[in-house]
Amino acid sequence: MSEPVAVPPPEVLPAGEDLLGHPAVSPPESAEDSPHASGPAADACPEPAPDARMNLVGLDRPALTAEMVSFGLEPFRSRQLWHWIYHRGVTDFAAMTTLARPVRERLAAAYVVRRPQVADFQQSRDGTRKWLLRMPDRQDIETVHIPEEDRGTLCVSSQVGCTLKCSFCHTGTQRLVRNLEAWEIVSQIMLARDALDEWPAPPDGRLISNVVLMGMGEPLYNYENVARAVKIIMDGEGLAISKRRITLSTAGVVPLLARCGAELNVNLAVSLHAVTDAVRDVLVPLNRKYPLAALLAACRAYPGLSNARRITFEYVMLDGINDSLADARALVALLRDIPAKINLIPFNPWPGSPYAASSPATVTRFADFINAAGYASPVRTPRGQDIMAACGQLKSTRLHQA
């Protein structure tokens, strides 16, 4: 297998931060470090005036019903609101015409249906779209839409920054500031549907047919908010994206894998990237807490796992680090008896990255070996590289103290 000594050393942890658990809130990075901190797009996004009204986006069905009852309305009003907010994408109470005018006026005075602000938008030559979204506390995240001929995938973020510091990932160079709330996760889909004019929500939307929690952050370190958001996204009378079309990607937070599978039953993707603990400790430092043996045991026990419902193992191809035929043989042995697909990801460079991409010939040789061993091993086509929207390239460094 490839020599682990070729892997660059991990970043030294700042004082007070626990890399392998939940770190303390980080101080802001300087504006000079941010590609979005100045310029026309950022300057055109002024800070909104404070709004004391409660945002209804992000409330699940029981919470929305309880809120309407406490507001003095009948429980069935929550079903009407759910339809307007999540199925039709309406943000103006005045347009919710199945509600009586006095009810609409009362709701508008007390509540809001909020979206994040668009601080910046870019579109790649290949059609990939990337939004820099600004939350009310001025924290920024990125969301990416990847169009295909027969489908469209929305890559959604779950945290501002990331705690994991994976050494091949641009987001890993950005300190964790905070978790996203459920409304901030759901609103990424709603805003993308606004932009793509895909309301009312179609049963299997062509432009946004799939959602992947593969953006900024580790979803399982924000499980409660992610779970609440996913249940809203899956609701058949709302956004109506089937659990079979939702994938949660994790670096391997072992204690939460079983709960995720049992409660959400969405597709699971695991950021594997190495076949030995020595290499993975550096590429994915969470491995120091949950090493390969523990991670793969949890994968084998993932609820609902079968040949029809396989785990996707993500494997970024790094030149001279993890891309030898010996690594391919070890990967096949490592995943023995796990219903799996192996997604090979050509490394997407970013400023200051310490790695180089494996050559196309090396990737092909690696993929052919995996395929011959009986595992599907598609090579992911890089999308949005010219706007830093490809896998591993996301970073929004306009950070403010949470």
Side-chain angles (χ1 to χ4, degrees):
M1 285 172 280
S2 304
E3 290 296 328
V5 293
V7 183
E11 180 180 346
V12 177
L13 295 179
E17 181 174 273
D18 179 7
L19 171 64
L20 304 179
H22 297 279
V25 172
S26 303
E29 297 184 16
S30 66
E32 288 77 8
D33 293 334
S34 172
H36 304 293
S38 61
D43 295 342
C45 188
E47 187 168 0
D51 191 338
R53 292 176 297 171
M54 179 180 179
N55 185 18
L56 294 182
V57 178
L59 296 184
D60 58 19
R61 283 185 180 270
L64 184 58
T65 299
E67 182 62 31
M68 290 303 100
V69 170
S70 70
F71 189 62
L73 297 180
E74 305 89 335
F76 76 87
R77 297 296 186 190
S78 67
R79 294 195 299 274
Q80 293 176 312
L81 282 169
W82 186 274
H83 174 82
W84 286 108
I85 294 170
Y86 293 121
H87 179 71
R88 303 192 72 88
V90 172
T91 60
D92 184 356
F93 290 105
M96 300 180 184
T97 52
T98 57
L99 297 163
R101 184 185 299 273
V103 173
R104 284 180 271 159
E105 291 173 350
R106 284 186 61 203
L107 288 169
Y111 300 104
V112 66
V113 179
R114 180 176 294 134
R115 302 280 198 270
Q117 289 182 289
V118 177
D120 195 12
F121 171 77
Q122 295 174 283
Q123 184 160 338
S124 168
R125 292 185 296 269
D126 62 28
T128 300
R129 300 170 175 89
K130 182 173 76 170
W131 293 271
L132 180 75
L133 302 182
R134 185 154 301 156
M135 302 305 169
D137 64 353
R138 307 290 287 169
Q139 300 296 345
D140 293 349
I141 61 165
E142 291 188 319
T143 304
V144 175
H145 178 254
I146 305 164
E148 304 281 357
E149 284 190 11
D150 59 345
R151 63 178 179 173
T153 299
L154 193 71
C155 183
V156 171
S157 293
S158 59
Q159 295 179 310
V160 180
C162 187
T163 179
L164 298 183
K165 299 188 179 298
C166 296
S167 58
F168 59 87
C169 179
H170 201 200
T171 308
T173 67
Q174 178 175 334
R175 296 185 294 271
L176 176 70
V177 174
R178 65 171 177 84
N179 290 329
L180 292 183
E181 299 175 12
W183 82 267
E184 294 170 317
I185 298 169
V186 173
S187 289
Q188 294 174 62
I189 300 170
M190 300 174 79
L191 185 142
R193 277 197 170 154
D194 292 345
L196 298 170
D197 194 23
E198 199 168 43
W199 296 108
D204 284 305
R206 181 177 179 276
L207 295 178
I208 303 177
S209 59
N210 297 68
V211 170
V212 294
L213 287 148
M214 296 183 182
M216 297 168 56
E218 165 54 60
L220 293 186
Y221 272 159
N222 185 19
Y223 182 78
E224 297 298 336
N225 286 318
V226 166
R228 190 176 302 115
V230 166
K231 290 173 183 177
I232 293 171
I233 294 164
M234 292 190 297
D235 190 288
E237 297 179 355
L239 294 173
I241 298 175
S242 164
K243 64 185 178 183
R244 302 296 183 186
R245 295 180 176 272
I246 300 173
T247 299
L248 184 148
S249 177
T250 177
V253 184
V254 168
L256 285 172
L257 286 179
R259 183 181 176 191
C260 174
E263 294 182 358
L264 302 181
N265 197 23
V266 295
N267 299 313
L268 180 68
V270 174
S271 295
L272 190 64
H273 306 307
V275 296
T276 68
D277 286 323
V279 176
R280 196 167 188 266
D281 281 352
V282 176
L283 297 182
V284 185
L286 184 66
N287 193 74
R288 302 172 199 164
K289 186 170 186 179
Y290 305 119
L292 285 168
L295 172 59
L296 295 175
C299 289
R300 288 185 171 91
Y302 189 71
L305 184 63
S306 68
N307 286 329
R309 196 80 187 279
R310 296 172 293 172
I311 293 175
T312 296
F313 288 92
E314 298 164 311
Y315 197 95
V316 64
M317 299 292 292
L318 302 171
D319 183 39
I321 302 296
N322 62 356
D323 62 351
S324 70
L325 282 181
D327 291 309
R329 283 191 290 270
L331 181 57
V332 169
L334 204 62
L335 301 184
R336 185 174 293 117
D337 301 326
I338 301 179
K341 177 177 75 173
I342 301 164
N343 194 345
L344 300 179
I345 306 171
F347 175 66
N348 297 299
W350 40 269
S353 60
Y355 301 106
S358 302
S359 70
T362 298
V363 174
T364 298
R365 184 168 61 248
F366 198 101
D368 288 346
F369 184 93
I370 301 296
N371 272 309
Y375 288 95
S377 55
V379 178
R380 185 180 297 178
T381 302
R383 298 291 301 274
Q385 281 187 325
D386 55 318
I387 58 170
M388 294 291 288
C391 181
Q393 290 185 322
L394 299 187
K395 182 178 182 180
S396 62
T397 51
R398 185 187 176 95
L399 302 180
H400 299 266
Q401 188 68 46

